[in-house]
Amino acid sequence: MKVEVRRDGPSLVEGYRAVVGDGPMRMLESLARRLRDHRIVMVNSTATGGGVAEILHRLVRLLEELGVPTTWEVMPGDAAFYAITKKIHNALHGTHAPLDADDHAHYHETNRRAASLLELDGDLVLIHDPQPAALVQHRRVPGQRWVWRCHIDLSHADRDVWGFLAPVLTGYDGAVFSHYSFVPPLEVPAFLVPPSIDPLSDKNRELDEAEIDRLLEPYDLPESTPWVTQISRFDRLKDPVGVIDAFRLARSRVKAHLVLAGGSADDDPEGAEVLAEVRQHVAESKDVSVLVLPSDAHLVINALQRRSADVVQKSLREGFALTVSEALWKRRPVVASAVGGIPLQVIHERTGLLVHSVEGCAVQISRLLRTPELARRLATEGREHVRDNFLHTREARDYLAVFAALDGAARIMAEERAAQA
Amino acid sequence: MNGAPSAFEVCGAVHLIRPLGMSANSLQSLRHGIAAVEPASLFFHAVQPPLRAPASADLPPDDFSAWIGGVLQDHETSERLSFAVQRSGPGPEPLRTALIGVLERSQRDHTVPEDAAFAFLAADTVPVPIVECDDLDTLFDALAGADASAWFYHLIEQPWFAGGRIEMTLALREAGAARLADRIDQLAASGIPLERLRRETLRTWRRSQLGSRMARAAASSDADRAGEGRDAIAKLARRIVRARSTS
């Protein structure tokens, strides 16, 4: 089904130009000019909820404004199909969730039916994640370029489920992953396109002090003590207990208040368990606040990050951890674990501080609180690093470049260089 | 361009990063990897880092020495490798030889776990033509408005793959601007961060134009000079507004 993207309100191109500057937007416009005679179709499995839908709403409109005809189709499916794709999703994340022959058949049948319903008539087709991946087997026509965009960390993928999906991917011209560690052995060219944040969204847009005061008023947080904040769901892999331990070690040397804020755990039994552990670990501590926020509390998260003295992301394992870019974008100094995509965002001692242990985290938290000049320098560099590398404009540019490369641009350049050599 | 036989095309560049499926977990395996990888990988790890932080006051380290220093904690080899990256001649093969030379001399060889290994990646360049320039004014106007990738592409990347020959300064020489070309060659070879390279190059260009601008101004009417003054103030105001809105 075609998704109608909102086109009202101010121009996205001009909004992004005000944020990233003229040079990068001219570059994006030049690249877009090259693809104006093409038509892009994006396909995923939902129009609302989740990071992929969020970025597609922006990306489709941005590409249209840039003059590249772009449409967005959502793959239809029944409850059984979504149960199967949930299993696939979990298995690709490393959970054992075997698929049986019926699951295989239903997955392919749903893709086959969807292939006859969706308008996949563009010459550049970008398929997001595993749900619609098999469309390529049913609808690809000569002259089209198909690219699979995987937003999932496949580094611990279940072998059987990956064995089911991998043959489908041979029908593509290329695949795009967020991080090199997520890339499995593939028969098609793989490219790396890191995810990005939207500087114009509620989670990241500028807020004035009065707005921040109003948003944070209900949470009764201390005004005179610097806050050390970790924003992430209550999950053991985010190590909230480790954050509390590190904070307590740091707190013995500097005055501070810890804010642990995360999404509601109502539909996640393990999340509720971890939240209970965190609350027990915090016990009666007056210098720690645990905030359970609704899933749409984007402005509150924005305000919390902006008011924090340090932002921490002490995960034990991570996908990409865009919360780090969100904090850096708000000029907050960041202390984060060197896992997953974090080292791409936090360059140690340049855009933030990387740590490997509770003690290391404690040392760096207190170091930042005691050395405002260091915090300022890291925060300034961090903001520029995000501006250059982790905003939606860069992700849009990279997708256009992938299509241009498949269209021959990179091959021609490589041949020219080989001739020069 | 100003009498030159052909126009010069200002291009930006997008680097598409490709994983090569190879990794190294010791100095020895890093050396073997460097010996085997394609030029686009050496380019990505050793030459491209300045483009990742163009406005930084200090150049970011190359990926090889950053990994050896940060992960293997072999600071001596890291320093030597960093020096080799900065001093090796242009092109993948001189760099490859220099890197292997440093790694062969290194005595230490401990291994790190797989999750701390060095992953070899490669960068494929997608050139993005921005504007074709027939004269120096248009060229420097285009460069002034271009993003960091255009500066990187013309002054660092293209010469690195072409044995040090900078096509942009060749075009400047053909256009009769040999002194300007010499100065830009020097700046490009100095290894300064990109934003500084851009500032210094544009300053050099503006200075090179002072004489002819003054001659033009002396010959023009009061009304024209006043008009130019107003234009200059308006341009400055726009730059200030733009700088504020992007900060």
Side-chain angles (χ1 to χ4, degrees), chain A residues 263-272:
Chain A
S264 157
D266 293 347
D267 58 346
D268 175 8
E270 197 190 313

Side-chain angles (χ1 to χ4, degrees), chain A residues 166-300:
Chain A
V168 169
L169 303 178
T170 56
Y172 285 86
D173 296 287
V176 173
F177 297 87
S178 297
H179 191 254
Y180 66 81
S181 66
F182 302 175
V183 185
L186 276 176
E187 288 180 25
V188 297
F191 301 102
L192 303 181
V193 174
S196 59
I197 62 167
D198 184 358
L200 306 180
S201 68
D202 279 349
K203 209 189 273 183
N204 298 305
R205 70 174 171 81
E206 294 292 328
L207 297 176
D208 61 36
E209 290 301 314
E211 210 173 353
I212 296 175
D213 286 342
R214 184 181 56 74
L215 286 160
L216 297 181
E217 202 199 340
Y219 299 99
D220 195 26
L221 295 164
E223 281 176 21
S224 56
T225 314
W227 303 349
V228 174
T229 303
Q230 173 159 303
I231 292 177
S232 56
R233 61 178 191 274
F234 293 96
D235 178 330
R236 287 199 178 83
L237 293 177
K238 309 291 178 190
D239 199 16
V241 171
V243 176
I244 296 166
D245 292 342
F247 172 76
R248 283 185 175 147
L249 291 173
R251 177 73 181 83
S252 62
R253 296 174 70 102
V254 285
K255 193 178 171 200
H257 186 88
L258 176 65
V259 181
L260 286 174
S264 157
D266 293 347
D267 58 346
D268 175 8
E270 197 190 313
E273 208 176 282
V274 175
L275 178 59
E277 276 171 31
V278 166
R279 285 194 163 130
Q280 193 182 6
H281 202 64
V282 167
E284 299 299 308
S285 300
K286 288 203 168 64
D287 51 8
V288 181
S289 299
V290 178
L291 310 182
V292 179
L293 303 173
S295 60
D296 60 350
H298 304 311
L299 281 167
V300 175

Side-chain angles (χ1 to χ4, degrees), chain B residues 35-84:
Chain B
V37 291
E38 56 191 273
S41 180
L42 296 178
F43 165 74
F44 175 71
H45 291 301
V47 182
Q48 202 252 12
L51 184 58
R52 299 177 212 162
S56 170
D58 190 14
L59 277 178
D62 64 274
D63 295 344
F64 299 122
S65 43
W67 181 74
I68 293 171
V71 178
L72 289 184
Q73 300 278 304
D74 181 348
H75 300 294
E76 189 182 332
T77 308
S78 170
E79 284 172 7
R80 287 192 174 137
L81 208 80
S82 175
F83 184 78

Side-chain angles (χ1 to χ4, degrees), chain B:
Chain B
M1 196 163 69
N2 277 9
S6 57
F8 183 82
E9 190 170 56
V10 173
C11 282
V14 181
H15 295 120
L16 281 180
I17 313 305
R18 263 188 301 121
L20 297 184
M22 291 168 61
S23 61
N25 60 358
S26 66
L27 287 181
Q28 195 187 12
S29 56
L30 184 70
R31 178 160 54 85
H32 290 148
I34 287 172
V37 291
E38 56 191 273
S41 180
L42 296 178
F43 165 74
F44 175 71
H45 291 301
V47 182
Q48 202 252 12
L51 184 58
R52 299 177 212 162
S56 170
D58 190 14
L59 277 178
D62 64 274
D63 295 344
F64 299 122
S65 43
W67 181 74
I68 293 171
V71 178
L72 289 184
Q73 300 278 304
D74 181 348
H75 300 294
E76 189 182 332
T77 308
S78 170
E79 284 172 7
R80 287 192 174 137
L81 208 80
S82 175
F83 184 78
V85 167
Q86 288 171 38
R87 293 301 172 93
S88 84
E93 295 320 315
L95 177 66
R96 197 190 307 271
T97 307
L99 296 176
I100 291 173
V102 171
L103 293 173
E104 275 174 347
R105 283 199 302 279
S106 177
Q107 300 298 312
R108 291 181 54 185
D109 199 30
H110 69 272
T111 55
V112 294
E114 205 44 50
D115 63 355
F118 183 92
F120 283 98
L121 309 174
D124 289 337
T125 302
V126 178
V128 183
I130 297 173
V131 64
E132 200 165 89
C133 307
D134 293 321
D135 58 65
L136 294 180
D137 284 328
T138 322
L139 170 65
F140 281 93
D141 268 357
L143 285 170
D147 81 339
S149 78
W151 290 85
F152 178 81
Y153 179 73
H154 288 295
L155 296 181
I156 297 174
E157 177 176 352
Q158 176 274 317
W160 192 77
F161 278 106
R165 195 183 68 249
I166 304 182
E167 279 170 15
M168 190 176 101
T169 56
L170 287 177
L172 291 178
R173 284 193 182 86
E174 280 187 47
R179 279 182 59 189
L180 178 64
D182 289 345
R183 178 67 185 133
I184 294 175
D185 277 345
Q186 283 171 5
L187 285 169
S190 66
I192 53 178
L194 277 176
E195 187 48 43
R196 222 178 110 204
L197 177 61
R198 167 208 191 91
R199 271 201 314 271
E200 301 269 332
T201 305
L202 289 175
R203 189 178 301 147
T204 303
W205 156 247
R206 281 193 290 268
R207 278 192 192 142
S208 76
Q209 296 302 294
L210 270 180
S212 55
R213 276 194 190 149
M214 280 178 69
R216 271 202 308 273
S220 63
S221 68
D222 286 350
D224 286 347
R225 282 204 293 274
E228 277 179 21
R230 277 195 299 275
D231 286 349
I233 295 291
K235 210 168 166 181
L236 180 64
R238 275 199 301 274
R239 273 173 60 185
I240 292 169
V241 170
R242 201 158 51 216
R244 280 193 185 148
S245 65
T246 56
S247 67

